Amino acid sequence: MIQQPAPPSEGAPAAGARDGEPTAGEASAAAERAARQAYGKLLARLTTRTGDIEAAEEALAEAFMKALTTWPKRGVPDAPEAWLTTVAMNAVRDGARHNAVRASAQHTLMILHEERDLSLTRGPDERLGLILAASHPAIQPAVHAPLILQTVFGVTAEEMAPAFLLSAATIGQRLVRAKSKIRLAGVPFQKDPADKVERLARALDAIYALHTLATAAPPSPAATARAADAYHLAHLVADLAPENAEAKGLVALIAYCEARRPARRTADGGYVPLSRQDVNLWSDALIGEAEGQLATAAKHQTPGRYQIEAAIQSVHCDRKRTGRTQWSAVAALHDALSSLSPSTGAAVARAAAHGEAFGAEKGLAILDEIPSSRVTFYQPYWAVRAS
């Protein structure tokens, strides 16, 4: 059993402190790495044990603040994540005591005494329980994906607002209400609820949204970490639900997109359109994995959004083999996608595909069918119309 790491104590250096005090910049960088790499794991661990997302978020924030003041003086711990978990759990316990919530405090203390092993690498990914809780039917469906993005992946309301065509303030208000509902209704954090199939569908939406945000963002360690998280969790869901064709479809979709990642940006970070990307930079291994996942999904004979989107990416990736894009096939798949899962983004992408396959007039006609109120601030619409 791993010994519980001690929280900061007066006058005692942190484990692993280097000779000489680290600079504030080094400590800040270490805290940033921990936040980027493990925020979702830490929050899931705390929330699963307290049943209160808001309290867990506040405790984590306090832990990171203590890291920024303590690590420059006493060194960065050998296990920063475990250090943060210990401090955050202490904050949860103290908060329960100070608030005089007797039953809650007793429950929290019982958990803290039972859970002594703070290894963050053992067992299955605990974030899945938090993802499924955030997909609970008691929560407004429109909030499921934003709630998962914020609580599990640390995406801010400002970052996700463009993807959901909503203001950051509106998303923020919905998130606050959803977290309160989880706490007041006692929504359980479990990996195998009775309505798992329905909840997994909503979880897939959030995982894909995370990957989309990571792909659209300028190159950075945070964007790379988010893309890797999406890829990992898509695999996790697919393993959890082996009969779920859409889970395999999402794994395939993300793998296709990740295969092209090295060709998506210029050396100075500029965006390279798909049609201009150097196919020699595309990953054969990831394309092969995607093809295998998509073929396995197709055997279930239950087509869905992610399988169709993966099929679209398959046609694009086939350019590496044939040297050309079969735009008529892309257009036909976009027709199917718009019919099965209509959205503003799907309609704009369909217009672009038809424009490439059958001429600009056809694409513009499809764009004209979209209500103007839905695209006023939707940049891809204007980019397609101008192309």
Side-chain angles (χ1 to χ4, degrees):
M1 180 174 291
I2 297 177
Q3 184 178 359
Q4 180 174 337
S9 57
E10 293 297 327
R18 298 181 296 271
D19 292 337
E21 294 182 353
T23 67
E26 290 173 326
S28 178
E32 181 183 348
R33 281 194 303 274
R36 185 171 65 243
Q37 296 170 0
Y39 179 85
K41 295 178 185 177
L42 295 170
L43 185 63
R45 177 173 286 272
L46 291 169
T47 305
T48 299
R49 286 150 181 75
T50 65
D52 189 338
I53 293 177
E54 292 174 306
E57 288 177 328
E58 291 174 3
L60 265 186
E62 182 175 333
F64 279 110
M65 287 298 296
K66 284 190 176 181
L68 291 175
T69 58
T70 302
W71 293 359
K73 299 176 182 177
R74 296 200 283 272
V76 178
D78 285 331
E81 295 174 17
W83 189 98
L84 290 163
T85 303
T86 302
V87 175
M89 281 185 167
N90 287 339
V92 169
R93 178 196 62 200
D94 293 343
R97 185 177 65 246
H98 293 158
N99 290 330
V101 184
R102 182 177 180 83
S104 176
Q106 288 177 343
H107 174 67
T108 300
L109 287 170
M110 177 187 70
I111 290 169
L112 292 177
H113 282 296
E114 289 178 352
E115 183 60 54
R116 307 302 292 177
D117 184 355
L118 294 180
S119 169
L120 296 177
T121 58
R122 61 171 174 81
D125 195 317
E126 290 189 275
R127 290 176 294 179
L128 192 55
L130 184 53
I131 288 174
L132 293 178
S135 302
H136 194 279
I139 301 169
Q140 184 182 0
V143 187
H144 289 146
L147 182 60
I148 293 170
L149 286 172
Q150 186 182 78
T151 57
V152 180
F153 304 115
V155 181
T156 66
E158 289 75 14
E159 289 177 300
M160 70 178 81
F164 293 98
L165 303 182
L166 294 170
S167 70
T170 297
I171 291 179
Q173 292 168 357
R174 292 181 179 180
L175 291 172
V176 169
R177 289 195 295 268
K179 292 172 189 176
S180 296
K181 192 159 195 173
I182 287 176
R183 182 184 71 253
L184 295 174
V187 172
F189 295 81
Q190 54 193 142
K191 291 180 181 151
D192 195 23
D195 59 345
K196 181 175 71 176
V197 174
E198 291 77 9
R199 293 203 205 185
L200 284 177
R202 296 186 281 270
L204 293 176
D205 292 342
I207 293 170
Y208 182 47
L210 176 71
H211 189 265
T212 299
L213 289 171
T215 301
S220 70
T224 300
R226 282 179 176 174
D229 249 353
Y231 181 65
H232 164 71
L233 284 167
H235 270 285
L236 196 66
V237 173
D239 291 341
L240 180 70
E243 299 304 314
N244 190 318
E246 277 292 83
K248 295 181 178 65
L250 182 58
V251 173
L253 175 57
I254 292 177
Y256 279 127
C257 293
E258 286 301 296
R260 299 199 310 270
R261 178 173 291 276
R264 193 173 292 128
R265 298 282 180 172
T266 61
D268 59 359
Y271 177 73
V272 180
L274 176 57
S275 60
R276 299 179 186 174
Q277 290 178 11
D278 182 356
V279 298
N280 294 314
L281 298 177
W282 294 354
S283 168
D284 290 325
L286 283 171
I287 291 174
E289 180 195 359
E291 294 287 349
Q293 292 282 352
L294 187 56
T296 302
K299 293 178 182 178
H300 294 281
Q301 297 184 341
T302 54
R305 170 193 174 188
Y306 294 117
Q307 294 170 76
I308 295 174
E309 291 202 35
I312 292 170
Q313 296 304 317
S314 177
V315 176
H316 283 300
C317 285
D318 200 43
R319 179 162 67 88
K320 183 171 186 179
R321 181 179 64 84
T322 66
R324 63 187 182 88
T325 300
Q326 295 184 9
W327 283 108
S328 59
V330 173
L333 287 166
H334 273 291
D335 289 343
L337 179 62
S338 293
S339 176
L340 182 67
S341 181
S343 68
T344 299
V348 171
R350 175 173 175 256
H354 276 264
E356 291 284 355
F358 309 114
E361 289 186 2
K362 179 64 174 177
L364 289 172
I366 295 175
L367 287 178
D368 290 340
E369 295 172 359
I370 306 174
S372 59
S373 60
R374 290 166 51 188
V375 295
T376 302
F377 301 106
Y378 189 55
Q379 191 275 335
Y381 170 88
W382 299 106
V384 171
R385 180 170 282 281
S387 62

